[in-house]
Amino acid sequence: MKMNRNIYFIAAAIALASCTGMNIQDTVAEGSLTLNLEIDGTTKAAMTSEELLSSSNVKIYKGDFSGLVRSYKYSTAPEVIYLPADSYRVDVEAGELSSQSPSIASWEQKSYKGSAKFTITAGTNQSVQVAANVVNAITKVTFDASIAENFGGNCSFTIGVDEADASKQLVYDSGKSGKEGYFIVPDVEPQLFWSFSGTLTKDGSSVTKSGKFGNIEKGRLYKLSPKFTIKEGDLDFELSVDYDTEVFSDIIIFEPVSTGLLKSNTMEIWAGHATVHATVDEAEFNDPDKIKFAFTQDGSTWTTVNSTRISEGSYEAVLKNLAGGTQYTYKLVIDGEDIGDSLTLTTDSAPQLPNCGFETTSNCESAKYISFFDSSLSDMQLKVKYWDSGSSASTSVGASGAICYSSTDVPPGTGSTKSALLQSKYVVVKFAAGNLFTGEFAELVGTEGGKVNFGRPFTGRPTAVRFWYKYISGKIDNDSSNTPSDGKKGNWDQCSIKVMLGTWKGGSKGYHGSTSCPLQVNTTDPSTFWDYPNLPETIAYTDFYKAANEAATDWTQVTLPLDYKNLNVIPTHIVVSCAASRYGDYFAGCSTSQLYLDDFELIYE
């Protein structure tokens, strides 16, 4: 289709008069431009020729790219447009691309775009033709007859320029076979993502496959022809890319459902357990109780695990009691016989927190308080600070203000020689809760409070945390106006231990902390008292609170399972935050509370 309409651009005469009374006129003679707009398409579009033309966008820019000069809908553009003599560029957009909110994927409407440079010269007429060509990637999926024979109508082929966003995809079924689809492709690394899914009529088994291909060009037609053929047990899927005089073929071979192991997703493999999968031809093996998995570390001793039937032909099992950072071999066993090839997996590492027994202490930061690292050591895990407390702030008035100590009171039978003692107290003008945490004390905020950066780099995925504690306390004798009701005077003080994993980021655009310690709490600003378990970047969380009248006054071991709310992300940081007074951020608690802690252990099950 070809549409033509003329728009004239005229160089305006510019008159300048001086403010001195002299008549000085510098005249630029008129010039004009005839613009011929041609929209050329090879297939029928949803809009008529006149609709495409009238709804198109016309934008005129300075030739030196210094800015937009004019912008019109073609149908409303004036017949005469005044422009100074200069060089310009005109851009035209038509079809779906010219709509206010263009659809990235469309069955009906193509998009067109064209551009041309021109110059307005005094006293002359310039004729410029702009050809607006198709800028879509065009797909045409035609199902081979073998698809209907094997799947009937129970199949679909999805294709789009975004793998996850359905609004940028089109779904072909048997009714749309052979139909063209139009995509507005991104300017950077354009790709087409495809997926095929269907249910075989012969046995009800599922076939789901996906892929992608890049270097997508605007204005090209991509012909795709799904074909189902069995060749030595393989399903052939032929994908043809056909445009102009060039033909490219990419043969993608994928296997139909058969009996054997499937590789596990990376996120299914933890340090202490792993989920493994298999597909089973239930026409051949029809007793689910005889379908099992077995695994080994040394190749000689095998552990057999019962399977769970997830759906028709799909089975899985959880291999437990694995060691971190270890390779295992596993296999499918049906009715006592090994079926198919075995596979291997390597478990995640199982890191522990540095100095988690608080055995390493020093005065390397100050003679006024204890630090739980020693910069004179060669062991990097012990010579660099990982744990910190508020003692560096509270001892600004002297060593008596320390709120975290090293103690020789230790859990019996553990072999430990030191523990951490968190002591709440009233320090000169403010109540200070005894505390210990992974992170760093950032700075004092006048005499009113301080800033603490919580968290340390960590990429493990423990399933629980275990520690020893004892708590000696009483009723709250300090509070503030904004303290929660159970933290007011007269209530029993509570100890608090929180452990969380996440991908939080510090800095002004994150949670204000540092790169290594991202979560900052400012005790003078309650808006920074983060709702940790509900932060979007929190992956796993657990907490422990005990009121003074309920807590153990003798050493007691506690194991807390970590609650994972996201199983598909590896953490970047861990926070362990311990306080002898739960509401210490609000300057509330009992001034004699003592919380003893020892032997923090991360459990990987």
Side-chain angles (χ1 to χ4, degrees):
M1 66 189 98
K2 293 187 179 181
M3 293 148 274
N4 296 285
R5 180 184 171 189
N6 297 334
I7 299 180
Y8 299 94
F9 298 85
I10 298 177
I14 304 175
L16 303 175
S18 74
C19 59
T20 63
M22 297 178 61
N23 291 325
I24 301 174
Q25 182 169 302
D26 181 6
T27 302
V28 180
E30 293 184 351
S32 63
L33 171 87
T34 302
L35 176 66
N36 300 305
L37 176 57
E38 176 184 295
I39 298 179
D40 192 0
T42 57
T43 60
K44 183 179 179 180
M47 292 176 124
T48 66
S49 299
E50 188 57 35
E51 286 173 336
L52 277 170
L53 185 62
S54 63
S55 65
S56 61
N57 296 325
V58 177
K59 296 182 179 180
I60 304 167
Y61 298 86
K62 293 292 290 293
D64 61 0
F65 303 99
S66 60
L68 179 66
V69 178
R70 301 284 191 275
S71 179
Y72 304 101
K73 279 290 182 185
Y74 193 83
S75 60
T76 61
E79 291 294 331
V80 177
I81 299 175
Y82 293 93
L83 289 170
D86 206 341
S87 60
Y88 298 92
R89 187 186 84 250
V90 59
D91 288 353
V92 177
E93 295 176 342
E96 185 63 30
L97 195 61
S98 67
S99 64
Q100 185 172 1
S101 298
S103 297
I104 301 301
S106 172
W107 288 112
E108 302 296 336
Q109 187 56 63
K110 291 182 179 180
S111 294
Y112 305 83
K113 193 169 184 178
S115 182
K117 296 178 180 179
F118 65 93
T119 301
I120 294 293
T121 304
T124 63
N125 180 278
Q126 305 294 331
S127 180
V128 175
Q129 179 172 303
V130 180
N133 299 312
V134 176
V135 291
N136 300 101
I138 306 169
T139 60
K140 185 177 182 180
V141 177
T142 305
F143 291 115
D144 182 78
S146 61
I147 296 294
E149 292 171 4
N150 289 279
F151 293 93
N154 298 319
C155 65
S156 63
F157 187 96
T158 301
I159 190 165
V161 294
D162 190 291
E163 189 173 16
D165 189 342
S167 68
K168 299 177 182 179
Q169 302 169 346
L170 295 176
V171 180
Y172 284 86
D173 54 22
S174 57
K176 288 188 170 61
S177 178
K179 187 176 178 64
E180 290 184 354
Y182 310 118
F183 295 92
I184 299 174
V185 298
D187 291 326
V188 180
E189 297 184 357
Q191 300 180 83
L192 281 173
F193 300 87
W194 62 267
S195 64
F196 176 86
S197 63
T199 302
L200 288 168
T201 55
K202 69 172 184 177
D203 59 9
S205 60
S206 298
V207 174
T208 57
K209 296 297 173 182
S210 61
K212 63 181 178 179
F213 52 100
N215 300 319
I216 302 306
E217 298 183 45
K218 297 176 181 180
R220 299 301 190 187
L221 173 63
Y222 296 84
K223 296 179 180 179
L224 295 89
S225 301
K227 180 185 293 185
F228 186 90
T229 56
I230 297 296
K231 295 179 181 178
E232 299 180 354
D234 287 336
L235 170 64
D236 288 358
F237 183 87
E238 297 182 2
L239 182 63
S240 298
V241 181
D242 183 0
Y243 54 83
D244 290 347
T245 59
E246 298 176 283
V247 178
F248 301 92
S249 293
D250 184 9
I251 306 301
I252 300 174
I253 307 297
F254 54 96
E255 297 178 357
V257 175
S258 59
T259 299
L261 294 173
L262 299 175
K263 283 192 174 182
S264 299
N265 182 289
T266 301
M267 300 306 295
E268 295 179 300
I269 304 172
W270 295 57
H273 70 274
T275 301
V276 294
H277 306 269
T279 57
V280 176
D281 184 351
E282 294 183 345
E284 182 179 1
F285 307 104
N286 56 15
D287 187 350
D289 292 337
K290 294 182 179 180
I291 299 172
K292 303 178 185 294
F293 294 82
F295 67 96
T296 182
Q297 178 186 346
D298 58 14
S300 59
T301 303
W302 290 84
T303 301
T304 301
V305 180
N306 292 330
S307 69
T308 300
R309 185 177 186 269
I310 303 304
S311 60
E312 184 174 354
S314 179
Y315 290 78
E316 70 178 34
V318 179
L319 313 184
K320 298 181 179 180
N321 300 317
L322 307 181
T326 303
Q327 184 180 84
Y328 290 86
T329 300
Y330 64 101
K331 61 186 178 181
L332 177 64
V333 180
I334 302 179
D335 199 14
E337 294 186 9
D338 296 352
I339 304 296
D341 296 330
S342 61
L343 292 177
T344 61
L345 61 84
T346 300
T347 54
D348 280 351
S349 61
Q352 293 293 333
L353 301 178
N355 200 23
C356 53
F358 311 115
E359 295 291 314
T360 298
T361 60
S362 72
N363 291 108
C364 62
E365 290 183 287
S366 172
K368 297 178 182 179
Y369 61 88
I370 287 293
S371 296
F372 291 97
F373 71 101
D374 188 341
S375 58
S376 67
L377 299 178
S378 59
D379 187 336
M380 287 301 299
Q381 286 208 324
L382 299 177
K383 73 177 296 182
V384 176
K385 183 192 294 188
Y386 198 87
W387 299 87
D388 203 355
S389 74
S391 285
S392 60
S394 61
T395 55
S396 61
V397 298
S400 62
I403 54 177
C404 189
Y405 301 86
S406 178
S407 172
T408 56
D409 187 345
V410 296
T414 62
S416 177
T417 63
K418 296 178 183 179
S419 66
L421 167 58
L422 287 57
Q423 171 73 65
S424 296
K425 62 180 62 174
Y426 194 85
V427 181
V428 184
V429 295
K430 283 284 185 181
F431 175 81
N435 59 64
L436 180 66
F437 51 88
T438 57
E440 60 190 5
F441 184 84
E443 61 179 329
L444 284 167
V445 182
T447 60
E448 298 300 312
K451 295 179 181 179
V452 180
N453 295 338
F454 290 98
R456 287 292 183 186
F458 186 84
T459 56
R461 287 192 295 168
T463 54
V465 59
R466 181 180 296 151
F467 57 88
W468 289 85
Y469 95 105
K470 72 174 181 177
Y471 188 46
I472 301 168
S473 183
K475 291 189 175 182
I476 296 171
D477 53 15
N478 292 274
D479 65 13
S480 60
S481 60
N482 61 350
T483 303
S485 58
D486 59 339
K488 294 289 188 180
K489 290 180 181 179
N491 291 301
W492 291 102
D493 202 2
Q494 302 173 56
C495 63
S496 167
I497 298 166
K498 303 174 185 176
V499 180
M500 60 202 108
L501 304 167
T503 57
W504 319 281
K505 294 186 182 300
S508 59
K509 294 183 179 179
Y511 292 97
H512 311 308
S514 63
T515 300
S516 60
C517 310
L519 287 163
Q520 183 174 101
V521 170
N522 181 343
T523 59
T524 67
D525 181 4
S527 70
T528 66
F529 297 178
W530 309 110
D531 181 13
Y532 297 109
N534 295 314
L535 295 178
E537 299 87 353
T538 297
I539 295 171
Y541 180 86
T542 190
D543 56 33
F544 176 81
Y545 303 108
K546 281 293 183 180
N549 61 327
E550 300 172 332
T553 55
D554 292 322
W555 281 105
T556 301
Q557 192 175 49
V558 176
T559 301
L560 304 176
L562 280 158
D563 179 17
Y564 276 79
K565 68 175 187 176
N566 191 333
L567 298 175
N568 297 311
V569 178
I570 298 295
T572 58
H573 291 81
I574 187 171
V575 172
V576 180
S577 176
C578 311
S581 297
R582 176 181 181 179
Y583 293 109
D585 289 347
Y586 297 91
F587 306 105
C590 173
S591 56
T592 60
S593 290
Q594 293 182 324
L595 173 63
Y596 291 81
L597 295 170
D598 202 5
D599 290 345
F600 268 89
E601 180 186 3
L602 299 176
I603 307 299
Y604 296 86
E605 292 181 338

